[in-house]
Amino acid sequence: MSKGKDKQAKPSVRKGNGGEWHQEAKSTKERMTTNQGVVVSDDQNSLKVGGRGSTLLEDFHLREKITHFDHERIPERVVHARGYGAHGYFQAYESHASLTKAAFLQNPSEKTPVFVRFSTVAGSKGSPDTARDVRGFAVKFYTQEGNYDLVGNNMPVFFIQDAIKFPDLIHAVKPAPDRDFPQAQSAHDSFWDFVSLMPESMHMLVWVMSDRAIPRSLRMMEGFGIHTFRMINADGESTLVKFHWRPKQGIFSLIWDEAVVISGADPDFHRRDMWNSIEAGDYPEWELSVQVFTEEEANKFDYDVLDPTKLIPEEDVPLTPLGKMVLDRNVDNFFAETEQVAFCPANIVPGIDFSNDPLLQGRLFSYLDTQLTRLGGPNFQQIPVNQPKCPMQNLQRDGHMQMDIPKGRVSNEPSSLDDGLPRECDKTGFKSYPEKVSGEKLRIRPESFADHYTQARLFYKSMTGYEQDHIAGGFAFELGKCQKIEVRERMIAHLLNIDKELAGKVADNLGMNTNVEPIKPAVPVKDMPLSDALSQYKKTPDTLAGKKVGLLTTDGIDAAFFMNLEEAVMDAGANIEVVALKAGPMMDSEGNEIIPDHFLSGAPSALFDSVVVAPTEDMAKKLADNPNAVDWIRMANAHLKVIGYTDQAMNLLKKSHIKPGQDEGIVLLDMSKNNFDDYLNAAKKHRIWDRS
Ligand code: HDD
């Protein structure tokens, strides 16, 4: 008898190689079943003829399991594919009845549930979190009058003025259709060729090349509704508004080089940060405000409030705070909630209305349309994350994946059968604002949309010098990746209209000069009064709250020092994470076990907001001789971080070309004294800009 036949003769070897991990269900609750509810007896082996024979088609458990798996992906979003969501609530500060009748803005004791999804725009679902890109900031308010979606971005303007150009914009930024690269980047010919042929994109480009496009954390960025909307009060009076979200955590960004390093070291940097802060009970919070203005005021502005490439400086129309949003619960299931959530700017409630912004009008169509494909049919609002939390009924029936069981024989209105329900309600139902409109049917861009440079200049000129340098660096990096010299030249020709110095810096970095003919603006470029509110550094608080300190240390670290430092950092609202030479457990001087959060070669200092380096006496030389450690601290210095160090780290500092006392951000920590104030005060400044 051959060996093989021998095996066949022993079909009693039932389970896989899980050994002791295989456990039988002990109660009904623990039993695994098929989707039909039939209890599964063996989830390790498919049904075969003999032990080594062919697999049987009748194995319904195998077929069901694999069929489900085969269909586990749905199309990713055509834009904003990479996103991260969380639950929370919105609470108005007071009644805003004079402004709007929207129910969720009336009662300060009411918490309206929200679901928020942050996203990048260009990258696919698996792209890194820290790509240079606009961030989506989409909020679904589950109000008692229906779902209201405020689908915004972290920048207050947009690339284009008319929705008809959206497919072109997105095709230009996405990977080239023949070679399918580059991924999650605008740094390529087709994007810059397109935008350089679209002067209306100049204002947004300056924002996208700024630090706003590389936020430190999703918790640390602003959000904007961008378009002008309407608010309507119970008397039917309408005002125009623009929405703003401002983070309580402050607004902070990465440095471009850090963003690049983090993309490799931790592509999930932003989602990890969001998940961890919510799990730790450090709930991210934003204030929702509106800029309120009348049509008469709008008519006096030099720009058109229906043009989404324009903002209204806060100095001209200040923010009116409406309430706060707190994110306090992570999702239970990423796919079911974050992936299946369907936002739509057309989801609106009584008291809020659209404006005629042509970009907004196009969006009102696009979102529901895309969701029909992405979520597979017209019943996607029955998915739990999309369901309204208020009563909902109508006469829509049937369709792919109908989950409800509507009752009765009537699905038409009017009807005298049954009770003829549900019925419309003139008093409480949504009514569009009866705005007077008249005109000829034309395909034109209004004259009032023609100024493409004044606000780009306003934004650039309102920045601090560091922010301006970063913008110039962003343009130079991106244009440097363009192979077509004509495209670079065309962009320099645009930049000359925004600011000559900016054009000069970019041209210099590209090895070019500014001897190009500036693009002729359609209307003369003006100088608006500068706006401090546009600069994130001018309004950045000195704080460590919500941030991360990386402690590079070695086995045997002084127990009291470690404990006191950890306590001081946590008191400042930050977290400390230990970076060690090896991943396994280490001991402090008292023999207590410390499990490092990271090992050195897997955790570049770019992952932290500030660093401390504190080796033990006997490990100091080993650390100073370690090229990874030298790199770690050298990069922290280059990224302008505040560096705390102990005496034992002196050699490492020297090898990294860091001079103690070179600036206020290199701070000696005295092991013997339990006082970290100097270090913490410096670290609260976030970066030492003068070092650059
Ligand atoms: Fe859009 C998704 C924000 C213009 C068409 N958009 C989408 C998301 C955000 C925005 C945050 C992701 C929502 C989520 O997390 O699921 N989009 C904006 C902003 C715009 C804008 C702030 C300009 C002010 N979008 C815009 C235009 C069009 C679209 C002009 C088309 C005419 N957007 C879409 C879309 C997406 C989308 C194709 C993709 C997935 C989805 O809707 O559900 O319909």
Side-chain angles (χ1 to χ4, degrees):
M1 195 183 269
S2 78
K3 253 184 152 185
K5 275 188 184 157
D6 218 14
K7 273 187 187 164
Q8 231 174 5
K10 288 183 181 170
S12 57
V13 182
R14 281 184 52 243
K15 296 290 180 186
N17 294 327
E20 60 185 294
W21 295 105
H22 280 129
Q23 288 183 9
E24 287 283 315
K26 294 189 189 71
S27 66
T28 328
K29 231 171 87 187
E30 289 183 1
R31 282 183 205 152
M32 176 190 283
T33 73
T34 66
N35 285 336
Q36 305 303 321
V38 175
V39 176
V40 173
S41 63
D42 181 338
D43 191 42
Q44 315 306 319
N45 305 294
S46 52
L47 186 65
K48 301 176 205 77
V49 181
R52 302 177 60 248
S54 56
T55 303
L56 293 175
L57 190 59
E58 74 171 65
D59 186 348
F60 57 86
H61 175 50
L62 170 75
R63 279 189 288 111
E64 181 195 85
K65 189 172 174 181
I66 291 187
T67 305
H68 191 278
F69 171 77
D70 289 345
H71 297 270
E72 279 175 8
R73 290 293 169 270
I74 58 173
E76 66 173 33
R77 288 164 174 81
V78 58
V79 281
H80 297 266
R82 174 119 179 130
Y84 210 61
H87 296 272
Y89 64 88
F90 173 82
Q91 196 167 15
Y93 292 141
E94 56 189 343
S95 167
H96 301 287
S98 61
L99 204 55
T100 174
K101 60 182 175 188
F104 77 104
L105 291 170
Q106 305 304 321
N107 182 356
S109 59
E110 183 188 325
K111 288 183 177 176
T112 300
V114 297
F115 186 80
V116 180
R117 185 174 178 274
F118 302 104
S119 47
T120 49
V121 179
S124 63
K125 200 171 163 290
S127 55
D129 279 349
T130 54
R132 175 185 288 284
D133 202 349
V134 184
R135 297 298 184 287
F137 193 127
V139 183
K140 190 181 282 295
F141 299 78
Y142 302 92
T143 86
Q144 43 169 294
E145 295 174 314
N147 287 353
Y148 168 50
D149 292 356
L150 182 53
V151 193
N153 280 342
N154 73 331
M155 298 176 196
V157 289
F158 201 67
F159 294 96
I160 47 168
Q161 297 174 321
D162 191 312
I164 200 165
K165 296 310 294 171
F166 191 69
D168 301 291
L169 167 73
I170 300 306
H171 288 173
V173 74
K174 285 272 185 181
D178 56 354
R179 60 210 70 182
D180 197 37
F181 61 79
Q183 175 57 242
Q185 282 189 41
S186 52
H188 56 108
D189 280 323
S190 53
F191 177 74
W192 287 99
D193 179 44
F194 174 78
V195 290
S196 65
L197 297 169
M198 296 282 291
E200 68 200 60
S201 59
M202 288 307 136
H203 186 192
M204 180 65 165
L205 285 175
V206 191
W207 281 84
V208 180
M209 293 304 109
S210 80
D211 297 339
R212 303 276 182 155
I214 39 174
R216 153 65 180 89
S217 158
L218 301 172
R219 299 176 292 132
M220 297 171 190
M221 59 185 203
E222 288 183 292
F224 302 90
I226 300 168
H227 315 284
T228 293
F229 290 90
R230 239 176 231 291
M231 281 192 160
I232 300 127
N233 66 18
D235 296 330
E237 292 161 348
S238 138
T239 25
L240 300 175
V241 296
K242 276 191 183 269
F243 288 100
H244 294 244
W245 292 106
R246 193 155 282 174
K248 196 184 130 200
Q249 297 72 225
I251 313 160
F252 296 95
S253 286
L254 298 170
I255 288 179
W256 173 237
D257 187 59
E258 272 182 316
V260 172
V261 173
I262 295 172
S263 284
D266 185 6
D268 306 310
F269 187 69
H270 282 152
R271 53 186 57 203
R272 193 187 305 284
D273 168 270
M274 175 68 80
W275 174 275
N276 286 346
S277 74
I278 294 177
E279 287 299 295
D282 183 11
Y283 301 138
E285 193 173 318
W286 284 261
E287 179 163 85
L288 178 66
S289 301
V290 274
Q291 287 177 295
V292 183
F293 51 100
T294 61
E295 307 222 18
E296 293 69 44
E297 284 166 330
N299 291 338
K300 287 187 198 139
F301 297 146
D302 278 347
Y303 43 89
D304 196 326
V305 297
L306 298 184
D307 173 356
T309 68
K310 304 296 183 300
L311 53 81
I312 306 178
E314 283 174 43
E315 287 77 359
D316 295 347
V317 180
L319 303 190
T320 304
L322 297 180
K324 65 170 182 180
M325 175 174 78
V326 179
L327 298 184
D328 60 0
R329 183 161 64 88
N330 279 316
V331 296
D332 290 316
N333 183 279
F334 179 85
F335 180 85
E337 301 176 79
T338 311
E339 195 56 13
Q340 294 200 108
V341 66
F343 292 95
C344 178
N347 292 348
I348 205 142
V349 289
I352 303 179
D353 206 347
F354 315 116
S355 69
N356 293 331
D357 175 339
L359 192 73
L360 174 61
Q361 291 290 323
R363 293 181 72 196
L364 299 179
F365 163 74
S366 180
Y367 290 65
L368 192 145
D369 184 46
T370 200
Q371 277 138 18
L372 293 176
T373 301
R374 192 170 69 80
L375 298 168
N379 290 315
F380 63 84
Q381 69 277 8
Q382 295 177 14
I383 296 169
V385 71
N386 295 325
Q387 279 173 15
K389 296 191 195 296
C390 63
M392 181 247 135
Q393 53 180 332
N394 57 40
L395 297 164
Q396 291 162 30
R397 293 285 184 271
D398 306 349
H400 192 60
M401 302 304 283
Q402 168 62 270
M403 298 290 163
D404 287 342
I405 306 179
K407 298 208 172 69
R409 62 177 166 167
V410 179
S411 56
N412 53 282
E413 196 286 336
S415 163
S416 65
L417 305 181
D418 297 343
D419 290 331
L421 297 175
R423 295 205 177 106
E424 61 215 7
C425 178
D426 183 61
K427 207 165 152 225
T428 55
F430 179 88
K431 284 184 193 159
S432 297
Y433 180 72
E435 182 187 359
K436 278 206 179 72
V437 278
S438 68
E440 294 160 40
K441 245 191 249 176
L442 298 166
R443 279 187 193 275
I444 54 155
R445 208 57 79 82
E447 291 290 321
S448 54
F449 281 30
D451 182 353
H452 304 313
Y453 300 101
T454 295
Q455 288 212 351
R457 175 181 293 183
L458 164 72
F459 178 70
Y460 181 74
K461 293 274 217 184
S462 299
M463 298 294 105
T464 59
Y466 305 117
E467 290 170 294
Q468 290 183 340
D469 285 347
H470 298 168
I471 292 171
F475 274 111
F477 174 86
E478 299 254 327
L479 291 171
K481 297 262 176 183
C482 288
Q483 288 156 354
K484 292 272 177 209
I485 301 300
E486 311 87 272
V487 172
R488 295 183 187 176
E489 280 175 355
R490 211 184 296 139
M491 273 311 301
I492 299 291
H494 282 295
L495 295 182
L496 281 167
N497 286 332
I498 298 172
D499 184 71
K500 289 205 170 48
E501 191 190 277
L502 169 65
K505 280 190 205 168
V506 176
D508 189 45
N509 270 318
L510 292 171
M512 298 164 64
N513 58 46
T514 49
N515 293 338
V516 289
E517 190 62 29
I519 305 277
K520 192 171 176 334
V523 294
V525 188
K526 293 188 278 289
D527 278 301
M528 291 174 72
L530 299 188
S531 164
D532 280 350
L534 293 176
S535 155
Q536 67 181 72
Y537 296 129
K538 288 184 192 165
K539 55 186 176 190
T540 293
D542 279 359
T543 179
L544 250 191
K547 299 203 187 136
K548 230 167 31 170
V549 172
L551 168 65
L552 177 58
T553 188
T554 56
D555 235 346
I557 179 177
D558 186 90
F561 171 79
F562 178 54
M563 204 180 74
N564 293 333
L565 177 66
E566 190 176 34
E567 212 173 280
V569 168
M570 286 174 76
D571 282 351
N575 266 326
I576 192 158
E577 291 186 0
V578 175
V579 182
L581 286 171
K582 291 186 187 149
M586 52 189 259
M587 300 288 175
D588 68 15
S589 58
E590 304 282 318
N592 303 311
E593 190 175 80
I594 300 175
I595 311 278
D597 300 281
H598 308 272
F599 65 105
L600 182 57
S601 50
S605 55
L607 297 177
F608 309 102
D609 297 285
S610 169
V611 298
V612 173
V613 52
T616 51
E617 191 76 55
D618 51 335
M619 291 294 281
K621 182 168 173 345
K622 193 166 177 202
L623 200 65
D625 289 344
N626 183 322
N628 281 338
V630 174
D631 242 18
W632 199 84
I633 203 79
R634 189 179 58 79
M635 292 310 283
N637 185 39
H639 295 147
L640 317 179
K641 293 184 201 298
V642 171
I643 300 173
Y645 70 99
T646 55
D647 268 339
Q648 292 75 9
M650 281 296 288
N651 272 342
L652 180 60
L653 253 60
K654 260 188 218 152
K655 284 211 170 167
S656 314
H657 303 288
I658 301 169
K659 291 194 196 81
Q662 70 179 31
D663 59 48
E664 52 172 336
I666 310 294
V667 189
L668 178 65
L669 302 183
D670 190 338
M671 281 263 208
S672 59
K673 290 189 195 139
N674 176 19
N675 185 343
F676 302 100
D677 287 354
D678 288 350
Y679 165 70
L680 293 173
N681 288 336
K684 283 177 187 170
K685 294 193 189 312
H686 196 63
R687 293 190 202 276
I688 305 301
W689 291 111
D690 286 345
R691 197 186 293 162
S692 65

